[in-house]
Amino acid sequence: MKKVISGKDLDKIIIEAVNLICNPVESSIGPKGTNSIIASTDLPTFITNDGVTIARNVESEDLCINAILEILKESSIKTDELVGDGTTTSLVLVKSIIEESYKLINNGISKYEINSELIKERNEIVKYLKNISHKPSEKEKRSIAITSSGKREYGEIIYEVASKIKNKNGIKITTGTKENTKVLYFKGYEIDTIIASDYFFKDSNLIELKNPYILVTNNKIEDLENISDIINDCFDRKKDLVILADDYDEVLINNVLSINYDNDLNIYLLKNPEYGIRKFLISQDIAKISGAKIFKEDYYFGALKEIKINKEKTTMCFDINAKDYVNKINLAINDLNDEFDIEFYQRRKSMLENGLALIEVGGKTNTEIRETKMHFDDAINAIFSLDDGVSLGGGISYLEVAEKLNEKFILKNILEKPFKKIIDNAMLDYTEIKNEIVKSNYKKVYNLITDKFENIDDTTVLDSTKVLISSLNSAISIASLLLTTNSLIINEKAKNIDLNHEFNI
C-alpha cells in the first residue's frame, strides 16, 4: 500500500523539513557561528560547526519529513562536491527562498511562475557576481586560506602546501595521531604497493633502493627466460632491479626469491595496482619518468633516481623533465567529463610536476582532530576554487548585488540573509553594520575576527567567486525542485529500511 501526500499537507512537510535541517546549519555560519553536537550509535559523539557535516546528520523519525530532508541535503552535498566550500551558505539561501516563495504562493502567485522567475533572476545575479570579482593576489589567497580554515596557523599551512603542490589532487589530508599537525612532501610518482610476496620485505617494512633499474610491462611474466638478458645486465652493472607487471607465475616468484637470497643485489616484483586504461596509463607514466627504452614488445626498461617501497605505497623519484608529457595530460583532461577520471588525471599530473603532499592533522583529542580536519578540507577547497576570481566575503558580495536589483526581484531580500545571519550569530547590530558598509559604497567591510571595519584593499574578508555562484545555483536548484513537487509517495511497508537506498522521490 502506498501513502500519497499532496497539496497543503505536502507544503507543511516541506516547510517543517526545511526548518529542521536549516536551523542548526545556519547557526554555524560565520566566524562566530555556534557548534552542534553530533551523536550516533555507530560513531563517537563529536562537536562541529561544519555545515555539510551537520546537514548530513539531520534525520527525522517521520518518513515523509525524512524524504524531504534527503533532497535538501543535496543542496549542501552538491556544493561540497563541486567546490568543497559554501555548503552552509547554500542552505541558508534554500531556507530563505522557500520562506519567501510560500509568502508569494499565499498571495496567489503560482509555483511555476516563481520557479521561472528564480531561474531568470539567478542568471542576472551570476553576471553581477562575476562583474564585481577580480583575480586574487597571493596575499588574498593566503587570506582566503586563513578565513576558510578558521585559524591563521591552519591557513598558513594550507597556503604553503598549495603554493608548492599547485594541484588539489596532489594534496591529501588525513587525521594524525600526534598533537601537532605535520606536513610530508613526496617528490616523486606514487602507486599503491602490491608486492608479489611479503618475503621480499625480509625483516623490514621498507625497501629503499638508490639508482635502481626498472622493467615495466602490462603482461603477466611467466618465465625468467623472457627477461634473462635484463637480469644478467643488472648483475653485471651491480644494479638492483624493480619489475612492475600485471602478474607473475608462482614458480617465477619463488625463483626470484632464491636469487635474492644468494646475491647481494636484488630483484623486486611489483604488480600494477590499477585496471584497464588506468593500468596502461600508470605503466606509461613510469616508463616516461624512468627514461625507459623498448626492451622487447610491450616491455620497457629504464632507471630511476630512487625507489621506496613500503607495504602500502611505492614512491619513485626521478630526474626526467616531463613538461611535454604533462602538456599531453592537460589536453586529455580537457576531453574528460567524469569527475573520478579527472581526479585521477590531475593526480598523475601533480606527481609528474610538483609532487605530492600529505597533511596529518593533529590535536589534543580525537574530537578536536576531526573538527580541525574539516577546516583544513574547507581551506584547501577554497584556495583551489579561485580560478573564477575572488570577491568580498562574509555575505557582503551578495549584499552588494542585492542593492543593485530591482525591488520586484524575489531574490533581492533573500541575498541579504547570509550576511544578516553571520552578523546575528556574532550578536551585533545588523542594521548599523549594513548601513556603514552601504554608506562607504562597499569600500569598507566589517571583519568579525578583528571586530573592526577594514578597507577592502586591506581585508581578509574574502570569498571565492566560484563558491558564491555554486552556493546560489545549488540553493535555487533544490528550492525549485521542492516548489514544483506536487506529491510525495511513501511505501508504508518500507518503515524499517535505509531511506538513503530505498527511496527515490
Side-chain angles (χ1 to χ4, degrees):
M1 178 180 172
K2 301 268 185 183
K3 181 178 182 181
V4 180
I5 302 162
S6 58
K8 295 291 184 182
D9 291 335
L10 178 57
D11 291 344
K12 289 177 182 177
I13 290 169
I14 289 173
I15 292 169
E16 189 171 345
V18 166
N19 288 330
L20 187 63
I21 194 170
C22 292
N23 287 346
V25 170
E26 68 178 12
S27 68
S28 72
I29 192 170
K32 296 188 178 179
T34 54
N35 295 323
S36 290
I37 297 174
I38 310 291
S40 168
T41 55
D42 302 323
L43 295 169
T45 300
F46 65 98
I47 301 171
T48 184
N49 67 352
D50 181 68
V52 71
T53 303
I54 296 170
R56 285 179 189 274
N57 284 279
V58 175
E59 293 183 0
S60 171
E61 293 182 356
D62 187 303
L63 286 175
C64 302
I65 292 173
N66 227 6
I68 303 300
L69 284 176
E70 292 306 309
I71 295 173
L72 281 163
K73 288 176 187 181
E74 283 300 310
S75 176
S76 57
I77 293 168
K78 190 65 177 176
T79 308
D80 189 56
E81 289 174 351
L82 290 171
V83 292
D85 198 12
T87 53
T88 305
T89 300
S90 185
L91 282 174
V92 170
L93 291 171
V94 166
K95 182 183 177 185
S96 299
I97 293 169
I98 292 293
E99 288 174 345
E100 191 65 28
S101 296
Y102 275 110
K103 288 178 186 176
L104 295 171
I105 290 165
N106 291 335
N107 286 330
I109 300 175
S110 77
K111 292 181 177 181
Y112 293 98
E113 284 182 82
I114 294 169
N115 183 52
S116 176
E117 187 61 30
L118 287 174
I119 304 284
K120 286 194 294 184
E121 291 183 11
R122 177 193 62 191
N123 295 336
E124 191 75 19
I125 291 165
V126 168
K127 287 180 186 176
Y128 277 126
L129 287 171
K130 289 182 177 179
N131 285 337
I132 63 175
S133 73
H134 63 275
K135 185 178 179 180
S137 65
E138 290 302 313
K139 180 182 177 183
E140 287 174 325
K141 288 180 182 178
R142 187 191 299 268
S143 294
I144 284 176
I146 292 168
T147 302
S148 298
S149 66
K151 279 190 179 181
R152 176 168 290 277
E153 61 182 290
Y154 301 161
E156 294 287 0
I157 291 171
I158 290 295
Y159 174 76
E160 180 185 336
V161 172
S163 298
K164 287 183 178 179
I165 302 302
K166 302 184 187 304
N167 190 316
K168 177 182 166 183
N169 293 298
I171 302 168
K172 185 176 181 180
I173 303 173
T174 65
T175 54
T177 56
K178 307 292 184 183
E179 186 172 333
N180 295 324
T181 294
K182 183 167 63 173
V183 181
L184 302 172
Y185 291 100
F186 304 93
K187 183 61 178 173
Y189 196 94
E190 184 182 81
I191 61 172
D192 292 337
T193 297
I194 302 179
I195 200 159
S197 170
D198 281 341
Y199 286 111
F200 283 104
F201 284 104
K202 297 180 180 177
D203 296 326
S204 172
N205 290 321
L206 176 66
I207 299 166
E208 293 187 81
L209 307 173
K210 299 289 185 183
N211 304 310
Y213 283 140
I214 185 165
L215 181 66
V216 182
T217 180
N218 286 322
N219 298 330
K220 178 180 179 180
I221 303 178
E222 298 183 347
D223 190 348
L224 279 179
E225 280 299 314
N226 286 339
I227 55 173
S228 59
D229 290 347
I230 291 291
I231 292 172
N232 291 332
D233 188 41
C234 289
F235 284 150
D236 289 343
R237 297 177 185 232
K238 296 183 178 179
K239 293 278 191 180
D240 292 309
L241 173 65
V242 175
I243 301 175
L244 181 73
D246 180 57
D247 204 353
Y248 305 92
D249 182 81
E250 195 65 35
V251 173
L252 180 145
I253 295 170
N254 291 329
N255 286 340
V256 170
L257 288 169
S258 296
I259 292 171
N260 288 357
Y261 183 80
D262 295 330
N263 293 274
D264 292 332
L265 298 170
N266 292 290
I267 302 168
Y268 298 94
L269 305 181
L270 297 176
K271 297 180 184 180
N272 196 314
E274 290 290 351
Y275 300 91
I277 185 63
R278 293 190 174 206
K279 178 172 70 175
F280 170 76
L281 292 171
I282 282 180
S283 296
Q284 227 181 19
D285 292 348
I286 294 172
K288 176 63 182 178
I289 64 174
S290 64
K293 307 295 183 185
I294 296 178
F295 163 61
K296 58 171 64 175
E297 186 178 1
D298 295 329
Y299 284 79
Y300 295 86
F301 182 59
L304 290 161
K305 182 179 177 183
E306 184 180 15
I307 294 183
K308 293 181 180 180
I309 306 168
N310 64 40
K311 294 187 177 181
E312 293 183 356
K313 298 290 182 182
T314 295
T315 305
M316 308 174 194
C317 300
F318 58 93
D319 288 326
I320 299 289
N321 186 325
K323 184 176 180 180
D324 292 340
Y325 188 74
V326 168
N327 288 339
K328 291 179 182 178
I329 294 177
N330 276 329
L331 291 174
I333 291 171
N334 292 335
D335 294 330
L336 296 174
N337 295 313
D338 183 81
E339 286 297 321
F340 192 53
D341 286 339
I342 292 171
E343 184 177 324
F344 175 71
Y345 275 68
Q346 287 283 7
R347 184 170 172 80
R348 290 172 55 218
K349 176 185 168 185
S350 181
M351 290 189 291
L352 294 166
E353 280 188 314
N354 301 301
L356 304 171
L358 173 66
I359 303 174
E360 294 182 352
V361 179
K364 293 178 180 178
T365 64
N366 288 334
T367 300
E368 181 185 341
I369 291 171
R370 280 197 300 268
E371 176 66 13
T372 302
K373 182 185 178 295
M374 291 176 194
H375 289 301
F376 269 77
D377 288 334
D378 285 345
I380 204 72
N381 285 314
I383 203 168
F384 279 106
S385 67
L386 298 177
D387 293 343
D388 293 339
V390 64
S391 306
L392 291 176
I396 297 171
S397 288
Y398 285 144
L399 182 66
E400 183 176 355
V401 171
E403 290 288 313
K404 300 176 187 291
L405 299 179
N406 186 290
E407 291 294 332
K408 293 182 179 179
F409 271 58
I410 297 171
L411 291 167
K412 183 177 177 67
N413 293 329
I414 291 166
L415 286 179
E416 291 192 25
K417 297 295 183 179
F419 176 69
K420 185 177 188 306
K421 197 62 194 172
I422 289 169
I423 300 300
D424 287 348
N425 285 345
M427 301 196 328
L428 297 172
D429 189 322
Y430 164 72
T431 303
E432 182 182 333
I433 291 174
K434 174 192 169 182
N435 289 342
E436 186 70 24
I437 291 171
V438 173
K439 190 170 71 174
S440 74
N441 196 24
Y442 297 92
K443 300 299 181 187
K444 288 199 301 187
V445 299
Y446 192 81
N447 189 331
L448 289 170
I449 302 294
T450 59
D451 281 320
K452 64 181 183 181
F453 283 98
E454 296 175 342
N455 188 284
I456 61 169
D457 296 325
D458 192 34
T459 185
T460 59
V461 184
L462 299 165
D463 266 334
S464 158
T465 305
K466 185 175 182 179
V467 170
L468 293 173
I469 292 172
S470 293
S471 296
L472 180 68
N473 284 340
S474 292
I476 291 174
S477 174
I478 296 299
S480 296
L481 182 64
L482 290 175
L483 288 170
T484 53
T485 297
N486 290 321
S487 60
L488 172 62
I489 303 167
I490 296 291
N491 184 345
E492 292 185 335
K493 293 180 181 179
K495 287 182 180 179
N496 296 319
I497 61 172
D498 183 349
L499 294 176
N500 288 328
H501 300 290
E502 300 297 335
F503 276 84
N504 215 347
I505 297 176

